[in-house]
Amino acid sequence: MENTLNMYLFTAFMLFATGLLGAMFKRNLIVIFMGVEMMLCGAMLAFAAFASAYGDLSGGVFAFFILTIAAAEVAVGLAIITQLFKIENTVSTKDLNTLGD
Amino acid sequence: MNEIIFYIFCGMCLGGALGVLMLPNYVNATMSMLVSMLGVAGLLLLLHAYFLALVMVTVYAGAVLVLFVFVAMLIGDEKDSSGWIKKCALLAVWLALGAAVAKFSPEIVSAAPARAASDAVPVLAVAKNYGLSLFTDFMLPLQTAGALLLAAITVVITIAKPNPMKRQKKEELQ
């Protein structure tokens, strides 16, 4: 396998791009959130790929931190989403536009 | 052989991610994301980052995805209302991005120094290395992450607690 790093980086980029497209163009808050998670995952994969290619542990430790941040972020975000659903009875960004009016 | 396994995991990873974009039902989309996360864990295994792969499966597939499924089911079967034109446009943009990056991205691999001897244990493989590194070089980020987690827990409890003022008002109205 010659192009290992490039192949992993391509996968990481595509994961990030998918997450970004989801976060930008989907209407549902849960799917937007899953997009953000996928972006974090792509970044983590890139960190791990570079760490593995260069034999340096720092990238691995940063990937570990990304996992921590993602877990904390999911807890807070989903709490906000459920609370929002309790108040507005919807999670679609089409209907949650009171700040934009 | 290694290459075939890589392509399988890569396909799982990207196919699952695409499923999140395309599937109309949110529980299905969450399951699709589970496939994607398992693919990422497999890729981490191929990178010899066994510890990260393990944490990935336990934290993402075990905790985060369960939360997502829980919320998706709590919120009910709201369907994704976006039409097929938007989906086709998203798919086209996705494919175009992939093709463009695959065609024009520079070869980074040549810049990487040669790997350590193949018989040596990869540095990412051993959990002990992470512990040593976290408690020496990365002490400040570790403490900050701890503070962040504490803040997150506090915020979640504050958000989830019913507002006592509101409840009082409701009781007065009744």
Side-chain angles (χ1 to χ4, degrees), chain B residues 120-134:
Chain B
V121 181
V123 68
L124 282 174
V126 192
K128 187 176 138 195
N129 290 347
Y130 289 90
L132 282 175
S133 188
L134 277 175

Side-chain angles (χ1 to χ4, degrees), chain A residues 37-51:
Chain A
E37 285 304 304
M38 279 195 293
M39 284 161 74
L40 283 170
C41 234
M44 200 191 86
L45 190 59
F47 262 123
F50 272 114

Side-chain angles (χ1 to χ4, degrees), chain B residues 48-85:
Chain B
H48 300 289
Y50 308 121
F51 179 66
L52 279 180
L54 195 76
V55 173
M56 182 90 196
V57 170
T58 45
V59 171
Y60 263 105
V64 169
L65 263 295
V66 170
L67 262 183
F68 269 115
V69 172
F70 168 69
V71 173
M73 288 183 166
L74 186 77
I75 280 166
D77 53 356
E78 255 185 85
K79 287 265 191 277
D80 187 3
S81 54
S82 58
W84 61 273
I85 298 177

Side-chain angles (χ1 to χ4, degrees), chain B residues 10-118:
Chain B
C10 188
M12 268 172 80
C13 181
L14 296 185
L18 200 58
V20 175
L21 275 190
M22 294 297 152
L23 288 174
N25 188 320
Y26 298 126
V27 179
N28 290 354
T30 318
M31 287 300 127
S32 174
M33 188 168 149
L34 174 66
V35 173
S36 174
M37 295 299 138
L38 289 179
V40 174
L43 289 178
L44 288 175
L45 277 183
L46 284 183
L47 287 169
H48 300 289
Y50 308 121
F51 179 66
L52 279 180
L54 195 76
V55 173
M56 182 90 196
V57 170
T58 45
V59 171
Y60 263 105
V64 169
L65 263 295
V66 170
L67 262 183
F68 269 115
V69 172
F70 168 69
V71 173
M73 288 183 166
L74 186 77
I75 280 166
D77 53 356
E78 255 185 85
K79 287 265 191 277
D80 187 3
S81 54
S82 58
W84 61 273
I85 298 177
K86 189 178 169 186
K87 278 184 181 164
C88 286
L90 267 182
L91 188 64
V93 170
W94 192 78
L95 288 175
L97 260 177
V101 170
K103 184 142 194 346
F104 297 115
S105 67
E107 295 280 318
I108 306 172
V109 73
S110 53
R115 265 172 203 260
S118 56

Side-chain angles (χ1 to χ4, degrees), chain B residues 122-155:
Chain B
V123 68
L124 282 174
V126 192
K128 187 176 138 195
N129 290 347
Y130 289 90
L132 282 175
S133 188
L134 277 175
F135 281 94
T136 52
D137 298 336
F138 291 92
M139 197 60 198
L140 183 64
L142 183 74
Q143 298 289 347
T144 318
L148 180 93
L149 282 176
L150 182 67
I153 293 169
T154 322
V155 165

